[in-house]
Amino acid sequence: MAFSFRIRIRIRIILLLFYLFLSQITLSFSAKVFVVYMGSKTGEEDPEETLTQHHEILAAVHAGNMEQAQASHVYSYTHGFTGFAAKLTQHQASQISKMPGVVSVFPNLKRRLHTTHSWDFMGLVGEETMEIPGFSTKNQVNVIVGFIDTAGIWPESPSFSDADMPPVPSRWKGQCQSGEAFNASSCNRKLIGARYYFSGYEAEEEEEEEEAVNTVSFRSPRDSSGHGSHTTSTAAGRYVKNMNYKGLAAGGARGGAPMARIAVYKTCWDSGCYDVDLLAAFDDAIRDGVHILSLSLGPDAPQGDYFNDAISVGSFHAATHGILVVASVGNEGNQGSATNLAPWMITVAASSTDRDFSSDIVLGDGTNFTGESLSLFKMNASARIISASEAFAGYFTPYQSSYCLESSLNRTKARGKVLVCQHVESSMESKLEKSVVVKEAGGVGMILVDEADKDVAIPFEIPAAIVGRGTGDQILAYVNRTRKPVSRIFPAKTILGSQPAPRVAAFSSKGPNALTPEILKPDVTAPGLNILAAWSPAVGKLQFNILSGTSMSCPHVTGIATLIKAVHPSWSPSAIKSAIMTTATTLDKHHKPIIVDSEGRRGNAFDYGSGFVNPMRVLDPGLVYDAHPRDYISFLCSIGYDKKSLHLITRDNSTCHETLFRTPSALNYPSITVPNLNDNFSVTRTVTNVGKPKSIYKAVVSSPIGINVTVVPNRLIFNHFGQKIKFSVNFKVAAAAAATSKGYAFGSLSWRNKKSQVTSPLVVRVAPSNMGLMR
């Protein structure tokens, strides 16, 4: 019996060891290689010390076993950035991702080279050609894109390399203008032209000439602020293998039309842009032979009359010469704040992608929040957290100090603490400045409460993050109820797959059109939140940077327009604009209505125009709404311009005698807006067949609330390519229903067949007498 018992014990021990062996095999099979990314270098580091640090991190997830830690280690990164690769289980990877100093942990997947990240988000893939299935965009090497921008260009950036590019197109008549730190050899087969404009600035600033000299930086096309290089590379930059911002958002990157040619017209300086210089740039660009002009700039809202706006005037001339002008709508965020309102340009709002940059905020009770940030600074331990109002100094009230204004914080009260600061302005610079104020007062971290722009990532000077009002209230509630509240803010990390996406950015200016309400603005929306692109090393010694604004969304549409021009070189500017607008979508990636930050409300045409751009559909829109210079002259006549005023903009003998436009709504625009509907009103539109020669389209209407909409005819039968067909849209008040946005109601008209869907937003406001309301 005793012998038999010992045998059974031995068998059990052997089986136990066998099962343990199997479990180790299973564990080893479940382990995969992960990359542990730990941000940029903090100076010269000893590779041996770095390796030891990496082993210690791995030992922490291997129960302290250094031998297993060393066996799991694959590679250490010690040159351009810090981090390591190791074989880890999913659980171990999750543990490491929560450790201090770790920005992100991601699996070592087999990948194609890809962009960071907006072009992939919109469906365009490829390193250089940006091919769209069924079409060749190789002709983009013959498309010249002009950029009238604030800062010029940094020609040495890899985004502007001319490797493997053919000779400059023979039609090009521009020049490479020499200047400070810039000469003719700075241009190449990619950057084929560069000019700068100083006369208007110099004339206005001559009384402060000495100061101007000190602030201009480069009197040449060279980029002194980064903005110009950023927008240009977003639209047409070459493929760059490893583009990143201090390690964040690392990956390959390229513009929308990476093989197109670039011409730069630097018109703006530190104090702003003058109309004289802008118009000179337009004039040169038209003469030089550009096909498309991109303007990431505009007037303040409310925009003045078309005759008093250089961009409206210049873009009109560009359109009459067959040049499409793409412009940003502005960053004021309020209803009616849209700018660049002329119907002969395409105006772009800003939206998100599915990538965010966030920092973890951990409170002393274990509660974890996330906030938007680009700060890679780290807190080594938790610190006391207070409302900035508690650190008021001197003559400042607690309320004033809560906004972390300059000199408003008491150093004794703020030293060594995390401060919760408030923010109400829509200025990214002032947010950055608040972190400087907190740092100078001795603070070790900042939580910035900003409901309006909580999704805009800022490169703060200390550990810091932006949160919305709700999160801010929860954090302050913890501070107020806790005897010794503490908090810790972790470095920023890249988050892919954030939802919902896209969302309209809170800062993006919105309609209605304050100048001509019959013309819907913005026209479309595109990625403009936290966009990575080329930069000027003159600013922060960075090659690449992350920026937000409609300045960033504008060049996305410029890139798309360039691809259309490459495939359809004979199309007019309005046809290209129509293709972009009528193929846009009002649904996010989960097929739900696009929402608007920061309210989270359902968006409408005043937020995004026709919708979020869809470059996969623009080359084959089926139908286009075309317009020509004479149509814009009729438009001007319809809003009251006489012969004399018309001559100021056309400089020809155009008159209003034979115009058929009774209202601006009659312009053959891809959207339809009726801002003052009395009982009923009809609008005529003409579509041109650019799809299959023989095709039939059926009208599908989503009527605005309280409005009956009929389309005559409701079927369009085309027999050949290029055929034009007119139709009318009749609006009739059905009921005194409450509209959704300052009296406006929203719907859509879509011409559909099995292949195409050509959609136009319908925007209607019932006249007060028909709503039973007093205005």
Side-chain angles (χ1 to χ4, degrees):
M1 288 288 292
F3 177 78
S4 175
F5 177 77
R6 286 195 298 272
I7 291 293
R8 286 199 299 271
I9 290 296
R10 287 177 181 175
I11 290 173
R12 287 177 181 177
I13 291 172
I14 291 170
L15 286 173
L16 179 61
L17 291 172
F18 178 70
Y19 288 137
L20 286 171
F21 174 72
L22 283 179
S23 69
Q24 289 297 316
I25 292 177
T26 303
L27 183 64
S28 66
F29 276 118
S30 65
K32 298 182 294 184
V33 176
F34 284 80
V35 175
V36 179
Y37 170 62
M38 303 179 71
S40 55
K41 293 178 66 175
T42 57
E44 289 302 318
E45 300 173 61
D46 184 350
E48 291 298 323
E49 288 183 9
T50 302
L51 180 62
T52 300
Q53 178 194 5
H54 295 165
H55 285 163
E56 289 173 350
I57 292 173
L58 288 169
V61 297
H62 282 286
N65 190 317
M66 186 59 73
E67 186 175 337
Q68 288 184 6
Q70 293 173 348
S72 68
H73 179 268
V74 176
Y75 195 85
S76 279
Y77 307 110
T78 61
H79 302 297
F81 57 94
T82 60
F84 59 91
K87 290 181 180 179
L88 302 168
T89 65
Q90 189 67 50
H91 177 67
Q92 289 171 331
S94 178
Q95 285 180 297
I96 291 178
S97 70
K98 299 173 184 176
M99 292 183 179
V102 175
V103 175
S104 59
V105 178
F106 50 90
N108 182 40
L109 301 178
K110 185 178 180 180
R111 300 174 181 269
R112 294 181 293 106
L113 294 174
H114 62 92
T115 185
T116 68
H117 166 75
S118 52
W119 291 108
D120 279 347
F121 178 70
M122 293 188 290
L124 282 184
V125 296
E127 296 175 17
E128 292 287 12
T129 58
M130 299 294 270
E131 294 293 345
I132 296 175
F135 299 90
S136 173
T137 61
K138 292 180 180 178
N139 188 50
Q140 63 186 272
V141 296
N142 291 314
V143 180
I144 303 167
V145 187
F147 295 85
I148 298 179
D149 204 276
T150 59
I153 195 166
W154 194 267
E156 294 82 9
S157 169
S159 294
F160 310 124
S161 165
D162 67 349
D164 302 320
M165 292 196 72
V168 175
S170 59
R171 68 165 281 157
W172 178 243
K173 299 179 178 63
Q175 69 176 64
C176 196
Q177 184 180 2
S178 296
E180 183 183 353
F182 198 99
N183 53 47
S185 64
S186 298
C187 292
N188 55 27
R189 294 188 304 273
K190 175 67 174 176
L191 173 62
I192 64 173
R195 300 175 184 267
Y196 70 103
Y197 302 85
F198 200 76
S199 298
Y201 171 88
E202 199 167 37
E204 293 293 337
E205 305 281 339
E206 60 184 354
E207 293 181 2
E208 303 173 23
E209 189 171 347
E210 184 176 342
E211 181 183 346
V213 170
N214 292 333
T215 58
V216 166
S217 296
F218 297 114
R219 290 199 182 196
S220 74
R222 183 169 291 279
D223 187 354
S224 57
S225 75
H227 188 276
S229 298
H230 196 283
T231 56
T232 304
S233 66
T234 299
R238 297 296 300 276
Y239 180 79
V240 178
K241 279 188 176 181
N242 184 29
M243 184 180 287
N244 66 86
Y245 172 77
K246 297 182 178 180
L248 293 174
R254 79 285 195 206
M259 294 296 285
R261 315 295 181 145
I262 291 170
V264 171
Y265 301 84
K266 180 179 177 179
T267 57
C268 301
W269 308 90
D270 283 7
S271 65
C273 324
Y274 286 93
D275 284 355
V276 171
D277 296 330
L278 286 170
L279 287 171
F282 271 109
D283 194 37
D284 282 342
I286 293 168
R287 180 183 57 189
D288 290 347
V290 303
H291 297 96
I292 295 168
L293 275 172
S294 186
L295 287 92
S296 289
L297 52 88
D300 293 332
Q303 177 180 323
D305 183 89
Y306 297 122
F307 287 144
N308 298 318
D309 177 52
I311 295 175
S312 297
V313 174
S315 60
F316 177 87
H317 287 289
T320 60
H321 284 82
I323 300 168
L324 175 66
V325 177
V326 186
S328 48
V329 74
N331 297 330
E332 296 189 29
N334 304 315
Q335 288 238 331
S337 62
T339 61
N340 288 324
L341 302 174
W344 44 80
M345 66 175 73
I346 183 166
T347 308
V348 189
S351 299
S352 70
T353 66
D354 63 347
R355 181 178 68 187
D356 284 332
F357 302 98
S358 67
S359 290
D360 288 328
I361 303 167
V362 180
L363 304 183
D365 62 1
T367 307
N368 193 327
F369 297 102
T370 59
E372 207 73 10
S373 180
L374 290 175
S375 172
L376 293 176
F377 295 102
K378 64 179 180 179
M379 295 175 59
N380 293 322
S382 294
R384 283 289 302 275
I385 178 173
I386 63 171
S387 169
S389 62
E390 296 181 33
F392 68 96
Y395 295 102
F396 288 89
T397 66
Y399 175 79
Q400 292 170 326
S401 295
S402 71
Y403 288 91
C404 295
L405 305 176
E406 187 176 357
S407 303
S408 69
L409 301 177
N410 182 299
R411 291 184 60 84
T412 302
K413 298 176 183 176
R415 187 178 295 116
K417 297 183 178 65
V418 174
L419 271 63
V420 181
C421 302
Q422 305 292 324
H423 187 81
V424 289
E425 301 170 25
S426 188
S427 166
M428 291 175 218
E429 289 78 10
S430 65
K431 293 178 190 176
L432 181 62
E433 183 60 30
K434 288 180 191 292
S435 70
V436 175
V437 171
V438 173
K439 180 180 180 180
E440 290 178 348
V444 296
M446 179 183 74
I447 298 170
L448 187 60
V449 182
D450 178 22
E451 183 61 25
D453 289 336
K454 63 178 182 290
D455 292 320
V456 177
I458 302 293
F460 294 112
E461 291 291 314
I462 55 175
I466 302 172
V467 300
R469 179 67 54 195
T471 300
D473 289 344
Q474 292 182 62
I475 292 172
L476 287 173
Y478 160 76
V479 171
N480 293 332
R481 70 170 180 265
T482 307
R483 183 166 170 266
K484 290 185 178 181
V486 295
S487 177
R488 185 176 181 184
I489 303 171
F490 290 87
K493 55 189 175 182
T494 306
I495 305 295
L496 285 175
S498 61
Q499 300 296 336
R503 311 177 306 276
V504 177
F507 59 75
S508 184
S509 292
K510 299 167 177 63
N513 184 327
L515 194 56
T516 313
E518 292 87 351
I519 302 299
L520 176 64
K521 291 290 177 175
D523 292 304
V524 289
T525 189
L529 185 67
N530 302 327
I531 302 300
L532 175 68
W535 193 245
S536 167
V539 186
K541 298 181 179 179
L542 296 171
Q543 276 196 306
F544 313 105
N545 203 357
I546 293 172
L547 294 182
S548 296
T550 54
S551 281
M552 284 65 252
S553 58
C554 169
H556 280 91
V557 174
T558 302
I560 294 170
T562 303
L563 295 180
I564 299 175
K565 188 69 175 178
V567 175
H568 303 292
S570 64
W571 280 16
S572 69
S574 58
I576 294 173
K577 176 167 70 173
S578 174
I580 294 171
M581 291 174 65
T582 61
T583 57
T585 179
T586 60
L587 302 178
D588 67 18
K589 291 296 183 180
H590 285 264
H591 305 289
K592 295 181 179 179
I594 291 174
I595 66 169
V596 181
D597 287 337
S598 59
E599 309 100 304
R601 63 173 173 82
R602 179 172 176 167
N604 60 51
F606 288 158
D607 304 307
Y608 48 59
S610 294
F612 187 79
V613 290
N614 184 355
M616 299 303 292
R617 292 184 56 212
V618 294
L619 298 183
D620 188 17
L623 307 173
V624 295
Y625 294 82
D626 210 350
H628 302 282
R630 64 179 180 274
D631 298 313
Y632 296 128
I633 293 171
S634 296
F635 162 79
L636 292 173
C637 293
S638 73
I639 58 175
Y641 289 2
D642 57 18
K643 180 179 179 179
K644 181 179 179 181
S645 58
L646 196 64
H647 178 71
L648 292 174
I649 195 167
T650 64
R651 296 297 177 185
D652 60 21
N653 295 320
S654 298
T655 68
C656 295
H657 286 310
E658 296 183 356
T659 179
L660 300 176
F661 286 17
R662 293 182 295 108
T663 167
S665 295
L667 180 65
N668 200 41
Y669 212 70
S671 58
I672 300 175
T673 303
V674 182
N676 199 35
L677 178 60
N678 279 294
D679 191 28
N680 68 83
F681 183 79
S682 290
V683 172
T684 300
R685 289 289 187 270
T686 301
V687 286
T688 304
N689 181 24
V690 295
K692 289 186 176 180
K694 291 185 178 296
S695 52
I696 300 174
Y697 289 83
K698 181 180 179 181
V700 178
V701 175
S702 173
S703 296
I705 294 174
I707 310 296
N708 287 331
V709 179
T710 54
V711 181
V712 180
N714 62 3
R715 290 174 79 244
L716 304 178
I717 302 173
F718 293 93
N719 296 308
H720 60 84
F721 182 86
Q723 182 180 352
K724 298 177 183 293
I725 297 180
K726 286 186 178 182
F727 64 90
S728 63
V729 183
N730 184 263
F731 300 88
K732 184 174 178 59
V733 178
T740 58
S741 178
K742 289 193 175 181
Y744 281 92
F746 303 90
S748 65
L749 163 63
S750 185
W751 291 105
R752 298 182 186 180
N753 60 22
K754 291 182 180 179
K755 183 181 179 183
S756 300
Q757 182 172 318
V758 187
T759 304
S760 297
L762 305 177
V763 182
V764 183
R765 181 174 62 178
V766 177
S769 60
N770 282 321
M771 294 182 67
L773 300 175
M774 296 297 293
R775 294 290 177 106

